[in-house]
Amino acid sequence: MERQVSNNKPYIIGIAGGSGSGKTFFLKCFLQHFTADEVCLVSQDDYYIPVAHNMTAEENKLYNFDLPRTIDSKHFHDDIISLMNYETVLKQEYTFNNPTAVPKTLEIKPAPILIVEGLFILHFKDIAEKLNLKIFLETDEDVALKRRLKRDLEERGYSNDDVMYKWHNHVVPAYKEYLLPYRETCDKIVVNNTQIADDIIKITDDISAELRHKLFNE
């Protein structure tokens, strides 16, 4: 059940979804309804514990990144606390095991609305209990796999075999164990099987309008 904000703390929205659920596009649409002074975003993806420099290509293929222990959950939680206290956070971005990429330093400035997104945000109890609004992005498995293939083959340079191995052995089991059980605890469940942008834009329009009325009396 949605919790009310108190003590002048930011209103915290948790957006959870498995790989290929469309979180990136959903967030892009959602954030367009707010100014940089009104909202900030902290992503679980930036809290992976770096391991790529110690691994061979074969080890990288077999390593399971879809487990809670691959996330520096304490650092993740501590940065959320800082933002709740209206303190700016500096965080080095995660470069998805690309040893040639030069990571940027992310500056996350606090705002009245704090969005926390990621696969394990409902599993991490100390984070989940701080969320005022929980949004669950749900996608059929075949649709999510098509999106994952497109991203990993085109954007991250993985082979088809690598993607399929991780999908069946890592991605799907993690989703079923660490995210799906929390589906019914969420305030809003967004089914995102469409490739039609207008459908998600309409949903983010509606949610954003509710929040602007609730938080900014608009």
Side-chain angles (χ1 to χ4, degrees):
M1 183 176 181
E2 183 180 346
R3 296 189 301 111
Q4 296 300 310
V5 69
S6 62
N7 299 325
N8 248 0
K9 296 294 186 183
Y11 187 85
I12 308 177
I13 302 170
I15 298 179
S19 179
S21 63
K23 288 195 301 296
T24 300
F25 184 69
F26 182 91
L27 284 164
K28 179 182 177 182
C29 296
F30 189 83
L31 290 170
Q32 288 177 346
H33 294 279
F34 301 94
T35 67
D37 292 334
E38 293 173 332
V39 66
C40 63
L41 169 67
V42 60
S43 174
Q44 175 194 291
D45 278 359
D46 286 313
Y47 293 86
Y48 277 106
I49 299 169
V51 292
H53 61 284
N54 294 323
M55 299 168 67
T56 66
E58 184 63 21
E59 288 171 334
N60 184 284
K61 173 185 174 181
L62 298 175
Y63 185 83
N64 190 350
F65 290 92
D66 290 275
L67 293 173
R69 66 172 179 264
T70 65
I71 303 297
D72 187 346
S73 57
K74 183 181 185 306
H75 192 178
F76 190 23
H77 177 260
D78 288 349
D79 282 354
I80 291 170
I81 293 294
S82 294
L83 291 165
M84 288 177 66
N85 291 325
Y86 288 94
E87 300 168 359
T88 296
V89 166
L90 296 177
K91 176 74 183 74
Q92 191 174 75
E93 74 170 345
Y94 183 72
T95 56
F96 294 97
N97 298 319
N98 182 350
T100 64
V102 179
K104 295 181 292 187
T105 298
L106 306 174
E107 182 181 28
I108 308 172
K109 295 182 178 180
I113 298 174
L114 168 57
I115 297 177
V116 179
E117 70 90 9
L119 176 66
F120 303 130
I121 63 170
L122 304 177
H123 177 75
F124 294 140
K125 300 299 184 186
D126 52 355
I127 292 175
E129 68 185 8
K130 294 175 173 59
L131 305 175
N132 300 106
L133 176 66
K134 299 174 185 176
I135 299 175
F136 187 100
L137 290 184
E138 182 173 69
T139 306
D140 288 347
E141 192 172 316
D142 60 332
V143 176
L145 176 56
K146 288 178 183 177
R147 292 172 179 163
R148 172 91 176 201
L149 281 165
K150 179 177 172 60
R151 184 198 71 187
D152 282 1
L153 296 179
E154 295 180 6
E155 298 177 20
R156 297 183 183 170
Y158 295 141
S159 72
N160 189 81
D161 287 347
D162 285 354
V163 177
M164 294 306 296
Y165 176 87
K166 286 182 177 292
W167 179 263
H168 291 296
N169 293 282
H170 301 167
V171 176
V172 173
Y175 172 79
K176 290 180 177 178
E177 182 171 358
Y178 301 113
L179 179 55
L180 190 58
Y182 302 102
R183 179 184 186 278
E184 301 308 318
T185 71
C186 292
D187 305 291
K188 294 183 184 293
I189 298 171
V190 177
V191 179
N192 183 21
N193 288 320
T194 181
Q195 300 299 324
I196 303 172
D198 288 351
D199 292 348
I200 287 297
I201 291 171
K202 175 64 168 61
I203 292 169
T204 59
D205 285 350
D206 293 344
I207 296 174
S208 301
E210 289 178 25
L211 285 172
R212 296 203 71 87
H213 177 72
K214 179 193 293 284
L215 301 178
F216 304 123
N217 297 316
E218 294 182 6

